[in-house]
């Protein structure tokens, strides 16, 4: 191919291939989110906003991209909302976003930014996500868009995502129910001699079948299980291995259904057939902490106050030294490899006040090192919706020794 013919190739194009697909929410839901976003943009003087994170693009457009080394984005102005996608995806980004879409080609470098420029124009006040855009891409933003100034929007859009609509809460309820299905499938599969991966697959398959039955028009991706045993329970995010289960093992069940980018979770401590006295004591203490923590989740309470109160509860029992991380976090468009509403975590350094419509977990974890009586990682996790008067627990799978000594 000659240089001349290469130069004739387009930098961008549109491909509206097929009909718009049914998304997780009605068009009115996405339009309401954009209306609030534009109010937040106006309050900060932003004329055009570029979102590059998976969670923000999905939240405002419905499209959950697969980057694979390519940049993706959503541009929002006073009148337009346009997803920017790579040619490798063809018409899928248009079908899976409620709004417009521009495809950029890879015939020359930085066509992504040429596509963004088509919507933003030059010399405007540009909003972006400072917690996501790399330094290299920030330089390209400056070079191509030539903004009058830039404004970091990641904090204000995170605050918007913290408050769930009725439609979001309905989806999160469904996700919690799917997580319970996965939990029961795992419990039923546990046997001495089976591998962690064998048990994990049983839970994952059960959840994917349930999601497909409940959400017939969705795309299915990213649902997973972390099922840990013995020493492998010491970390909350330890991956699955081929370790074989043994009688007396401590287990950590973690199911994570993903529905259109929305994450829910179930996490439980279990034991294989029997539990020794030292382990039972720690397990029961963590269950008591879990129940104490759930009672604290109510409107008007701050994340830091809750964390300090639970710290005191554990300190009274000489267990605080075994705590490993914060006590809970928000839910919504997030995942273990993208997204996090970091301003709504139950930690000492976060002062966000709980409000009705927020969704948050309670998940205390105690980890006792190998060689200590009761060694292992103990964690219980429930999802709660903050209401006008308290909190509603939407997790159904039982916790504690009465139900979870199995196999």
């Amino acid at each position: 191919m000659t240089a001349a013919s290469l130069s004739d190739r387009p930098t961008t194009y549109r491909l509206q291939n097929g009909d718009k697909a049914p998304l997780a929410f009605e068009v009115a839901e996405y339009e309401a989110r954009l209306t609030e976003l534009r109010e937040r943009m106006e309050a900060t003087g932003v004329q055009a906003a570029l979102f590059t994170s998976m969670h923000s693009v999905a939240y405002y457009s419905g499209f959950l991209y697969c980057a694979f080394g390519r940049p993706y984005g959503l541009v929002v102005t006073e009148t337009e909302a346009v997803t920017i996608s790579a040619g490798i995806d063809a018409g899928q980004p248009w079908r899976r976003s409620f709004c417009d879409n521009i495809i950029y080609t890879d015939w020359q470098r930085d066509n992504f930014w040429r596509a963004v420029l088509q919507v933003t124009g030059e010399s405007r006040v540009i909003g972006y996500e400072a917690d996501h855009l790399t330094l290299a891409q920030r330089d390209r933003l400056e070079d191509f868009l030539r903004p009058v100034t830039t404004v970091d929007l990641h904090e204000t859009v995170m605050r918007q995502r913290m408050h769930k609509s009725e439609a979001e809460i309905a989806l999160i309820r469904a996700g919690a129910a799917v997580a319970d299905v996965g939990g029961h499938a795992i419990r039923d599969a546990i046997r001495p001699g089976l591998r962690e991966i064998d048990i994990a697959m049983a839970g994952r398959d059960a959840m994917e079948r349930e999601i497909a039955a409940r959400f017939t028009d969705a795309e299915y991706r990213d649902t997973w299980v972390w099922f840990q045993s013995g020493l492998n329970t010491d970390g909350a995010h330890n991956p699955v291995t081929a370790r074989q289960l043994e009688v007396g093992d401590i287990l950590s069940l973690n199911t994570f259904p993903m529905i259109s980018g929305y994450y829910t979770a179930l996490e439980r401590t279990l034991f294989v057939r029997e539990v020794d006295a030292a382990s039972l004591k720690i397990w029961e203490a963590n269950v008591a902490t879990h129940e104490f923590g759930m009672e604290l989740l109510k409107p008007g309470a701050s994340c830091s106050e809750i964390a300090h109160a639970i710290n005191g509860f554990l300190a009274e029992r000489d267990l605080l030294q075994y705590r490993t991380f914060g006590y809970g976090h928000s839910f919504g468009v997030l995942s273990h490899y993208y997204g996090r509403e970091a301003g709504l975590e139950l930690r000492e350094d976060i002062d966000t006040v709980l409000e009705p419509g927020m969704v948050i977990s309670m998940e205390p974890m105690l980890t006792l090192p190998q060689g200590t009586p009761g060694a292992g990682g103990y964690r219980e996790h429930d999802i709660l919706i903050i209401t006008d008067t308290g909190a509603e627990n939407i997790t159904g799978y039982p916790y504690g020794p009465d139900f979870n000594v199995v196999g």
Side-chain angles (χ1 to χ4, degrees):
M1 185 175 291
T2 66
S5 61
L6 275 174
S7 66
D8 292 337
R9 304 299 293 269
T11 59
T12 65
Y13 63 98
R14 284 178 166 83
L15 179 61
Q16 297 180 358
N17 191 33
D19 298 325
K20 287 283 192 181
L23 300 180
F25 305 104
E26 299 294 331
V27 168
E29 171 80 9
Y30 295 106
E31 289 176 338
R33 295 177 186 184
L34 286 179
T35 296
E36 181 174 344
L37 170 62
R38 290 181 172 122
E39 292 172 354
R40 290 171 180 267
M41 290 167 58
E42 183 178 5
T44 55
V46 169
Q47 296 172 299
L50 169 64
F51 298 101
T52 51
S53 69
M54 293 180 76
H55 45 282
S56 286
V57 173
Y59 180 77
Y60 290 115
S61 76
F63 170 51
L64 187 67
Y65 66 72
C66 175
F68 226 117
R70 297 174 174 89
Y72 285 71
L74 169 71
V75 180
V76 179
T77 68
E78 292 178 354
T79 58
E80 294 184 275
V82 184
T83 52
I84 311 294
S85 60
I88 194 170
D89 293 327
Q92 186 259 6
W94 179 80
R95 292 193 300 274
R96 288 287 170 177
S97 57
F98 93 95
C99 54
D100 195 7
N101 169 257
I102 295 176
I103 297 170
Y104 69 91
T105 66
D106 58 5
W107 315 135
Q108 59 181 329
R109 191 174 298 277
D110 292 326
N111 280 349
F112 169 80
W113 288 104
R114 294 181 178 91
V116 171
L117 179 61
Q118 289 181 30
V119 188
T120 64
E122 284 189 4
S123 304
R124 307 192 78 196
V125 179
I126 301 294
Y128 73 107
E129 296 173 280
D131 65 335
H132 185 266
L133 200 67
T134 65
L135 292 175
Q137 293 288 38
R138 170 63 191 267
D139 288 344
R140 287 175 171 83
L141 184 157
E142 295 283 351
D143 292 342
F144 280 87
L145 308 189
R146 301 184 183 279
V148 174
T149 188
T150 57
V151 178
D152 177 19
L153 293 176
H154 93 268
E155 179 76 21
T156 188
V157 298
M158 177 183 68
R159 296 287 168 183
Q160 180 179 353
R161 293 196 310 271
M162 285 182 190
H163 294 84
K164 311 305 179 192
S165 68
E166 291 184 4
E168 284 183 286
I169 288 176
L171 182 61
I172 292 169
R173 285 184 189 277
V178 172
D180 288 344
V181 168
H184 284 285
I186 286 173
R187 182 181 186 275
D188 292 344
I190 291 170
R191 297 289 185 277
L194 291 183
R195 303 171 300 173
E196 291 178 2
I197 184 64
D198 300 320
I199 310 301
M201 287 191 294
R204 183 203 63 207
D205 290 351
M207 289 191 293
E208 290 187 334
R209 286 191 294 268
E210 184 70 13
I211 293 170
R214 288 172 176 260
F215 298 90
T216 56
D217 295 318
E219 295 176 320
Y220 309 118
R221 55 188 286 190
D222 302 331
T223 292
W224 86 103
V225 167
W226 281 325
F227 181 76
Q228 302 135 349
S229 64
L231 179 63
N232 295 337
T233 64
D234 67 344
H237 297 166
N238 293 352
V240 174
T241 75
R243 182 185 183 276
Q244 292 184 332
L245 275 57
E246 302 175 2
V247 173
D249 270 347
I250 184 173
L251 308 174
S252 187
L253 175 162
N254 309 268
T255 63
F256 305 105
M258 295 294 296
I259 304 169
S260 299
Y262 275 72
Y263 161 104
T264 47
L266 166 71
E267 301 173 15
R268 289 289 184 259
T269 303
L270 305 92
F271 275 78
V272 180
R273 291 191 179 172
E274 61 187 44
V275 53
D276 63 273
S279 297
L280 181 61
K281 181 178 179 181
I282 300 299
W283 190 5
E284 289 177 337
N286 200 55
V287 165
T289 306
H290 183 57
E291 293 176 337
F292 174 74
M294 288 192 289
E295 293 175 357
L296 301 176
L297 298 179
K298 59 187 66 175
S302 75
C303 294
S304 57
E305 291 170 348
I306 292 169
H308 284 299
I310 300 174
N311 284 347
F313 185 90
L314 288 172
E316 291 174 358
R317 290 152 181 80
D318 195 27
L319 293 172
L320 183 58
Q321 66 271 29
Y322 300 124
R323 171 199 166 186
T324 58
F325 59 90
Y327 296 113
H329 59 79
S330 183
F331 287 82
V333 184
L334 59 94
S335 160
H336 60 315
Y337 61 86
Y338 68 85
R340 185 87 170 180
E341 294 168 7
L344 189 53
E345 295 191 23
L346 299 176
R347 297 186 343 207
E348 297 87 341
D349 60 338
I350 294 177
D351 294 322
T352 302
V353 174
L354 300 185
E355 299 176 4
M358 291 179 171
V359 182
I360 195 166
S361 63
M362 176 52 59
E363 50 177 306
M365 180 174 182
L366 299 174
T367 297
L368 279 67
Q370 197 169 40
T372 305
Y378 301 76
R379 186 168 70 261
E380 315 299 338
H381 175 297
D382 287 42
I383 301 173
L384 296 98
I385 300 168
I386 304 301
T387 66
D388 291 334
T389 58
E392 177 192 357
N393 190 337
I394 60 172
T395 296
Y397 183 102
Y399 56 78
D402 291 345
F403 190 73
N404 292 302
V405 179
V406 300

